[in-house]
């Protein structure tokens, strides 16, 4: 034991810079994003034009908002499978309340937020109180919400598509805040990109430079150890579920105001995309490790790929294959990093 | 009980005989005094009328085989369990802890063997986990990362712990180093009583020695250390007082001048039971030396020690 220890020590000392770089969770996603950008930029001039960039930043932004929130939750050791369908629920709530009940759009947006927080609180409390895996608990709320979205929408509107937001009280100002475009050098960029970047920065500061952020890593890394040193583990987790719910509300609102309508099956299946983006961004499925910036790079890879494939003149069917390969690569790389980071010297 | 001069108030103690510990003098009142505590889990008697004490700048060792009740004993000190009978005195005042937090606030810090740290988090994040220093930046108060890094480095150095890089995940530290970080943390956060649950049992000989040195460092800084182990070879060199537990009962609470290492080892290894076993073995062997009992007990103690390490 003692001889092996001495050898390992020397080797570690010489490679500590590499080691530090490798344990940065977002490094892989950053490299991936650069590779994907260069790849499509070489293939398609449109892809690298300002209008093209604005085009792929748009899907990256709404996905990115969700991926960042889901990344925080995953670092805290939990999943939220209801996050995708909740973007549909919140969008439907805004649209139905504003059009069928005739309330001001801002009021509809506020009520939608309350609904989202109720769902987040339900998920969070159920997980921390019962100790059941969040995978199962949120799978349940995912199915419940999916049923509610379809059922309630059909009962109230007789349709699966609710439209007619345009011209409602407060629509234009709400649209300006959530779904307008910003002109930059003659190119229109969606305002959701600003939301996304601001939230990424905010999440990064919270994670790395606040007490709460330290607790997030701790409850995901080892909940019992965290509790033993006085971390309020249950409160931390519930707050993380409220965060993903709030992000879902933001994305649902952005989408509904942009489309001026909402679809009853919106957001179904997106929950896995959020998780994939977070994992590509360096989040471990086992919790305790990951980054908000990484999740943003993961979302960027998704946005660039979905739009780049079209620009390159390929069939969009290849998109999923490409992402599947990215995911496997990311998980494999993450596992190596974790092994490396966790390896003990003694 | 007469040895606890100025200790617990007699009226609070249930009328039970207490292990006599003649000849113990020590300077002044003990910082921590435990009097005839008992703990039952349903019909299981986990502990029955156990007493000992711990003085500032001294190490009290709690020894016993697996299931002897060592963890139950320290969990009462740490506020995890409440004693069903008997009591705990801190600085001559009776204390009752409703939660680990209350014990911590009273200055009793416990380092559990495996649950002290989060492996994927850096050394400095672990050091301040649950007690993060904060600094106001305009309207928000942020985790003062610079201070956390600096204090961690200083505190580890002050304990004689050489961790090259406080940014590395705690999981990359050796088992001994991780114990050391947890000990340094307890010392920094003002613990007066430091409880260590089997800090050396998962470690190899060399690493165990390193941890014993940190225990000595904590002792020298004036803490009362309660050191749990099943290894008399780890306990004897550093201990000032030895509480021996067997199946929830105290086999004695000895000052260092009342017991020598051989006797401690013999008691720990099961004494008479083992001598019997040794005789049995000797008969099948046919040619056992006269001191086979002691030798067998030593060998078996070493075996137990081996098993204790993963
Ligand atoms: N929470 C509990 N509930 C029931 N029995 C317990 C509990 N904790 C400990 N015990 C029992 O008390 C006895 C002493 O256990 P413990 O204090 O863990 O021993 P040690 O740490 O010396 O190995 C054992 O028989 C154990 O099964
Ligand atoms: Mg134990």
């Amino acid at each position: 034991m003692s001889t092996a220890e001495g050898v390992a020590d020397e080797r570690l000392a010489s490679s500590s810079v590499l080691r530090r770089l490798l344990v940065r969770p977002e490094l892989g996603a950053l490299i991936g994003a650069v590779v994907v950008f260069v790849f499509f930029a070489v293939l398609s001039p449109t892809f690298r034009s300002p209008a093209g960039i604005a085009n792929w930043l748009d899907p990256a932004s709404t996905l990115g908002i969700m991926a960042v929130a889901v990344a925080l939750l995953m670092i805290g050791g939990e999943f939220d499978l209801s996050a995708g369908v909740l973007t549909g629920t919140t969008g439907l709530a805004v649209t139905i309340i504003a059009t069928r009940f005739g309330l001001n759009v801002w009021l509809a947006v506020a009520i939608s937020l309350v609904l989202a927080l109720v769902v987040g609180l339900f998920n969070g409390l159920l997980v921390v109180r019962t100790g059941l895996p969040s995978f199962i608990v949120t799978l349940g709320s995912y199915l419940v919400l999916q049923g509610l979205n379809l059922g309630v929408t059909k009962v109230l509107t007789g349709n699966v598509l609710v439209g007619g937001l345009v011209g409602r009280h407060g629509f234009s100002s709400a649209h300006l805040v959530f779904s307008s475009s910003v002109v930059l050098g003659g190119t229109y960029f969606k305002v959701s990109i600003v939301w996304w970047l601001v939230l990424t920065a905010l999440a990064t500061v919270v994670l790395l430079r606040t007490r709460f952020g330290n607790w997030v890593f701790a409850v995901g890394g080892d909940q019992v150890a965290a509790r033993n040193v006085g971390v309020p583990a249950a409160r931390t987790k519930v707050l993380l579920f409220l965060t993903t719910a709030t992000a879902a509300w933001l994305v649902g609102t952005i989408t509904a105001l942009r489309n001026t309508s909402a679809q009853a099956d919106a957001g179904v299946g997106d929950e896995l995309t959020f998780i994939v983006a977070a994992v590509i961004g360096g989040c471990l499925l086992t919790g305790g490790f990951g980054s908000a910036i990484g999740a943003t790079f993961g979302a960027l890879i998704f946005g660039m790929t979905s739009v780049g494939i079209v620009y390159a003149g390929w069939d969009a069917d290849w998109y999923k294959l490409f992402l599947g390969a990215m995911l496997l690569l990311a998980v494999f790389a993450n596992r190596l990093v974790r092994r490396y980071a966790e390896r003990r010297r003694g | 009980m007469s040895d606890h001069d100025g200790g617990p108030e007699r009226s609070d103690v249930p009328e039970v005989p207490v292990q006599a510990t003649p000849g113990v003098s020590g300077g002044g009142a003990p910082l921590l005094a435990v009097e005839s505590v008992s703990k039952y889990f349903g019909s299981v008697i986990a502990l029955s009328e156990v007493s000992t004490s711990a003085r500032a700048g001294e190490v009290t060792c709690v020894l016993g085989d697996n299931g002897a009740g060592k963890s139950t004993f320290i969990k009462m000190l740490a506020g995890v369990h409440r004693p069903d009978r008997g009591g705990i005195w801190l600085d001559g005042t009776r204390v009752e802890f409703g939660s680990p937090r209350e014990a911590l606030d009273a200055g009793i810090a416990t380092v559990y063997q495996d649950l002290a740290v989060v492996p994927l988090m850096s050394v400095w994040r672990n050091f301040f986990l649950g007690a993060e220093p904060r600094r106001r930046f305009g309207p928000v108060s942020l985790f003062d990362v610079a201070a956390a890094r600096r204090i961690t480095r200083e505190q580890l150095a002050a304990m004689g712990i050489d961790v090259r890089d406080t940014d590395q995940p705690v999981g990359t530290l050796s088992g001994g180093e991780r114990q050391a970080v947890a000990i340094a943390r307890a010392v920094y956060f003002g613990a007066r009583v430091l409880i260590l649950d089997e800090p050396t049992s998962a470690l190899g000989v060399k690493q165990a020695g390193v941890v014993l040195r940190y225990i000595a460092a904590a002792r020298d800084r004036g803490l009362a250390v309660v050191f749990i182990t099943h290894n008399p070879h780890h306990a004897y060199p550093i201990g000032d007082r030895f509480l021996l537990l067997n199946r929830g009962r105290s086999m004695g609470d000895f000052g260092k001048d009342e017991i020598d290492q051989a006797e401690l080892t013999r008691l720990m290894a099961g004494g008479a039971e083992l001598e019997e076993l040794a005789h049995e073995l000797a008969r099948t062997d046919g040619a056992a030396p006269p001191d086979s009992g002691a030798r067998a007990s030593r060998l078996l103690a070493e075996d137990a020690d081996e098993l204790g390490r993963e």
Side-chain angles (χ1 to χ4, degrees):
Chain A
M1 176 185 171
S2 54
T3 53
E5 206 175 305
V7 173
D9 265 0
E10 277 169 49
R11 195 159 49 79
L12 280 174
S14 63
S15 67
S16 72
V17 176
L18 174 71
R19 183 192 187 89
R20 271 222 216 152
L21 262 182
L22 275 178
V23 299
R24 301 285 329 150
E26 57 273 343
L27 182 78
L30 172 63
I31 293 171
V34 170
V35 168
V36 170
F37 175 80
V38 170
F39 180 74
F40 286 114
V42 168
L43 280 179
S44 154
T46 325
F47 184 85
R48 57 178 193 262
S49 72
I53 292 172
N55 256 343
W56 50 255
L57 280 180
D58 177 21
S61 68
T62 45
L63 169 58
I65 292 168
M66 290 310 298
V68 165
V70 165
L72 293 188
L73 181 67
M74 284 179 69
I75 295 168
E78 303 294 342
F79 291 101
D80 188 354
L81 294 182
S82 69
V85 74
L86 188 58
T87 65
T89 308
T90 50
L92 284 165
V94 169
T95 315
I96 292 175
I97 293 168
T99 62
R100 296 302 183 276
F101 296 96
L103 295 185
N104 184 296
V105 173
W106 281 104
L107 195 55
V109 168
I111 294 171
S112 175
L113 174 59
V114 173
L115 276 177
L117 291 176
V118 168
V119 173
L121 194 66
F122 176 82
N123 284 336
L125 287 180
L126 214 57
V127 167
V128 300
R129 289 275 160 79
T130 62
L132 288 168
S134 52
F135 195 88
I136 295 301
V137 170
T138 60
L139 182 61
S141 38
Y142 159 77
L143 293 171
V144 167
L145 288 177
Q146 194 183 356
L148 280 176
N149 283 3
L150 281 164
V152 172
T153 306
K154 273 192 188 161
V155 165
L156 289 179
T157 69
N159 209 329
V160 289
L161 179 75
V162 193
L165 267 177
V166 185
R168 298 281 160 178
H169 282 298
F171 173 76
S172 46
S173 57
H175 185 268
L176 190 73
V177 170
F178 292 106
S179 309
S180 59
S181 294
V182 186
V183 188
L184 212 77
T187 309
Y188 285 88
F189 289 90
K190 289 272 190 255
V191 74
S192 54
I193 299 167
V194 177
W195 279 102
W196 170 41
L197 297 180
V198 168
L199 289 177
T200 302
L202 186 69
T204 302
V205 169
V206 166
L207 208 47
L208 299 180
R209 289 293 179 268
T210 69
R211 189 168 71 162
F212 180 76
N214 214 35
W215 294 351
V216 172
F217 281 111
V219 296
D222 189 335
Q223 187 167 326
V224 180
R227 271 216 200 95
N228 277 351
V229 296
V231 172
R235 178 151 51 99
T236 303
K237 290 200 165 178
V238 171
L239 277 169
L240 288 173
F241 277 104
L242 290 174
T243 305
T244 54
T246 306
W249 159 79
L250 180 59
V251 169
T253 305
I254 286 172
T255 311
L257 289 171
R258 173 186 297 177
N259 299 337
T260 72
S261 65
Q263 231 159 342
D265 65 346
V268 175
D270 288 356
E271 60 286 334
L272 291 182
T273 316
F274 308 152
I275 293 173
V276 172
V279 170
I280 288 177
C283 285
L284 290 178
L285 290 166
T286 42
F289 192 78
S291 95
I293 296 181
T296 269
F297 287 138
L300 202 55
I301 290 174
F302 268 73
M304 288 194 290
T305 309
S306 63
V307 173
I309 277 178
V310 178
Y311 283 165
W314 297 339
D315 197 313
D317 296 345
W318 293 104
Y319 172 63
K320 286 280 165 68
L321 179 138
F322 179 87
L323 290 176
M326 280 300 283
L327 174 66
L328 290 177
L329 201 69
V331 172
F332 192 66
N334 283 351
R335 201 181 62 147
L336 290 179
V337 168
R338 185 196 164 111
R339 289 250 172 98
Y340 195 48
E342 272 202 322
R343 198 176 54 204
R344 296 172 183 184
R345 282 189 279 119
Chain B
M1 179 177 317
S2 55
D3 55 301
H4 293 292
D5 38 338
E9 284 173 43
R10 220 63 49 84
S11 58
D12 287 358
V13 184
E15 286 305 313
V16 284
V18 174
Q19 294 279 336
T21 52
V24 176
S25 47
L31 180 51
L32 181 77
V34 184
E35 286 285 339
S36 313
V37 291
S38 302
K39 182 72 197 172
Y40 316 108
F41 295 111
S43 59
V44 179
I45 303 169
L47 274 182
S48 171
E49 287 163 20
V50 174
S51 305
T52 190
S53 61
R55 291 169 192 277
E58 290 192 5
V59 178
T60 297
C61 298
V62 180
L63 290 121
D65 224 332
N66 290 332
K70 304 183 296 296
S71 294
T72 306
F73 181 73
I74 61 152
K75 278 177 183 165
M76 289 194 295
L77 304 182
V80 176
H81 298 319
R82 272 163 185 272
D84 291 317
R85 300 184 70 188
I88 300 162
W89 281 259
L90 194 63
D91 268 339
T93 315
R94 184 161 185 172
V95 287
E96 278 182 31
F97 302 126
S99 72
R101 186 81 244 172
E102 285 177 24
L104 208 57
D105 291 341
I108 299 182
T110 307
V111 175
Y112 298 95
Q113 190 178 321
D114 283 322
L115 309 178
V117 290
V118 182
L120 281 169
M121 291 172 77
S122 66
V123 173
W124 62 268
R125 279 187 181 275
N126 266 290
F127 195 93
F128 281 99
L129 185 57
E132 294 82 358
R134 284 182 297 168
R135 220 177 114 189
R136 291 209 77 79
F137 291 85
V140 288
S141 111
L142 299 181
F143 183 2
D144 192 347
V145 169
R149 282 204 171 97
R150 178 176 49 78
I151 295 168
T152 303
R153 213 178 308 113
E154 287 169 3
Q155 289 299 314
L156 292 181
M159 291 280 295
I161 304 159
D162 174 32
V163 175
R164 280 157 298 274
D165 177 8
T166 54
D167 272 317
Q168 64 184 310
V170 159
T172 64
L173 299 179
S174 68
E177 285 172 323
R178 265 175 293 151
Q179 285 289 334
V181 168
I183 293 170
R185 178 170 66 184
V187 171
Y188 175 71
F189 285 108
R192 297 192 298 152
V193 180
L194 177 63
I195 301 170
L196 303 162
D197 192 6
E198 309 226 16
T200 56
S201 62
L203 304 178
V205 178
K206 219 173 120 190
Q207 288 278 332
V210 171
V211 169
L212 289 175
R213 233 168 261 137
Y214 298 138
I215 294 174
R219 174 198 65 195
D220 294 343
R221 291 180 70 161
L223 278 81
V225 180
V226 179
F227 170 34
I228 286 82
T229 179
H230 57 245
N231 190 332
H233 307 291
H234 292 167
Y236 198 77
I238 199 164
D240 297 294
R241 171 160 285 280
F242 305 93
L243 169 66
L244 274 84
L245 296 179
N246 184 25
R247 298 167 144 273
R249 292 186 178 277
S250 175
M251 293 195 295
D253 176 31
F254 305 98
K256 191 152 194 169
D257 51 357
E258 295 168 303
I259 191 166
D260 60 14
Q261 180 151 6
E263 175 68 3
L264 191 66
T265 308
R266 198 188 66 79
L267 281 173
M268 262 303 294
E273 289 166 41
L274 259 174
E275 263 159 35
E276 229 167 77
L277 176 63
H279 278 123
E280 248 177 74
L281 295 173
R283 253 175 257 130
T284 38
D285 194 32
D291 64 334
S292 62
R295 223 191 45 183
S297 64
R298 201 184 65 237
L299 289 174
L300 284 174
E302 276 165 14
D303 282 354
D305 196 23
E306 286 294 332
L307 289 171
R309 282 175 221 161
E310 297 254 64

